[in-house]
Amino acid sequence: MRRTLPLLLAPLLAATFSAASLQEALRSIQPARIRAHLAFLSDDLLEGRAPGTRGEALAARYISAQLALSGVEPLRGRYRHDVPLIGWRPLPASIALAFSRDGQRAALDYPADAVLWLDNGADTAVVAADLVFAGYGTVAPEYGWNDYEGRDARGRIVLVLSGDPPALPGQPLIFEGAALSYYGRYTYKMEEAARQGAAGVIIVHTDEGAGYGWDVVRSSWTNEQLALPTDPARASPLKMQGWMTFDAARRVLALGGLDLNELFVRAARSDFRATPTGIAAQLRAGGRVRRFTGTNVAGIMRGSHATLRNDVVVYTAHYDHLGIGAPVAGDSIYNGAYDNASGVALLLEIAGAFAALDTMPARSVLFLFTTAEEAGMLGATWYTRQPLIPLARTVAALNVDGANVWGETDDVAAVGLERSTLGSAFERQAAALGLRVEGERSPAQGFYFRSDHFPFARAGVPALYLDHGTAFRGRSAAWGDSVLTRYQTRRYHSPSDDFDPAFDLAGAAQQGRQAFLVGYDVASSPEPPRWYPGARTFAR
């Protein structure tokens, strides 16, 4: 560290601040300890930590034991927070997609051309319905955008494009400009199709719109799909969901005399409206259902202030990954070392750092290790529905999803800095460590909507995704970008995301110290974080 004390901590610290204690807490975050956690959590023994498996149980038991060793307290007598889940495992021979018009027919291959899944608790669904092309499938009144206006999608299969509409040449930027908005997320498009009464929705994949390639779709949506139980009072009419490659969508729409390239251009205009295709869709998705209980793990360090200790700052990191799946180069265990055994390892050390303080900050700090993040942030979403501490008393959510395994940097990054005053706390503590602050490194991929801080943000809690830098010390300016690009294209959601003995975890320790100081800052401040005006346009 370049300085020994964090700068500009809130005035409330005057009564509780112990420089020696804080330095001891910072020193406790060590690469060797992070390495030990990471090596165990990403070992083949844990079989990829899929929810509802032996690997999940082993990981949850390990995390609970480490919290207990650090002196982090359980809540309500235990570290376990149960998450009810529905699993649907596809049977490839029972999945079929066929489209027809005027005697012409197109059948798609699963999963080369398309994937389908169910999340409503049914084993099998068969849908025969008209196909409607609904552009980007977006209803955004604040942007003057409604792809469904004047169109009836009830009972139909809706085909929508991934991502946000791009700005037309010579026109001003729309939505959030180059950054993906929540309207561009696949989850939003399914939610909106359900609100429109559609029987099913299929998203047309592009690498740019989704933020990842088709190989990620195949690895993520052809294994067991998970969902939370449906609220009977708000049951979705969707019978199935899916993805389709751009080329497959082109072939299907050609049955109706429609050119997908032309529709792609038209859909970028605010006056576009959903277009009937005259194409009949016949879809079938069959699989096996199981109902089971997944496990979040949670522990708390109680604050020192008589009344503010009832407030909580929550740190999150998901410990699940994809389990055992399709083999790649002979390896079928998706260990998820970077994603997110590394984040869990780091959060365990941050918890230990708070436990090392001789006096806690004013507010309490909750450490939440979630399950089923890879299935759509289900563990975190369930927590916001059934919280251990009321959300009204939850002042901030700080998420770690990927710890720096490549060495120390001269910069540090976060996603969501511009959305709330949490950004100021982040910047203060980066300055304390002599680190340059960078914003979201890939705004077009919409990471703010892709990890466990987002369910908290959606529930009204200011939230920040604590990332790491890319300006690696002793490396060229381009080295960091090349490392992350290589990970994204070769290892993300692949069995090759394994523990590497060559990992340089000094970078993770550096990231952890800064993340610890951010939470310490927020937990010590007299005023809770607040949203900036207009920062929650994703809430519906």
Side-chain angles (χ1 to χ4, degrees), residues 51 120 155 178 311 343 348 376 454 492 528:
N120 55 12
D311 290 349
L348 285 171
F454 182 61
Y492 176 63

Side-chain angles (χ1 to χ4, degrees), residues 472-511:
F472 292 90
R473 292 174 182 170
R475 303 285 189 175
S476 69
W479 190 84
D481 288 337
S482 68
V483 163
L484 292 167
T485 298
R486 190 160 56 248
Y487 169 79
Q488 190 72 23
T489 56
R490 299 181 186 178
R491 298 179 64 189
Y492 176 63
H493 283 199
S494 165
S496 61
D497 186 5
D498 273 328
F499 176 77
D500 185 344
F503 282 156
D504 183 352
L505 294 168
Q510 178 192 47
Q511 180 187 357

Side-chain angles (χ1 to χ4, degrees), residues 170-195:
Q171 298 297 311
L173 295 176
I174 54 178
F175 289 77
E176 295 188 16
L180 187 76
S181 77
Y182 185 61
Y183 294 115
R185 284 289 290 151
Y186 78 91
T187 49
Y188 164 76
K189 297 173 189 293
M190 294 174 181
E191 292 163 6
E192 190 59 54
R195 281 190 285 269

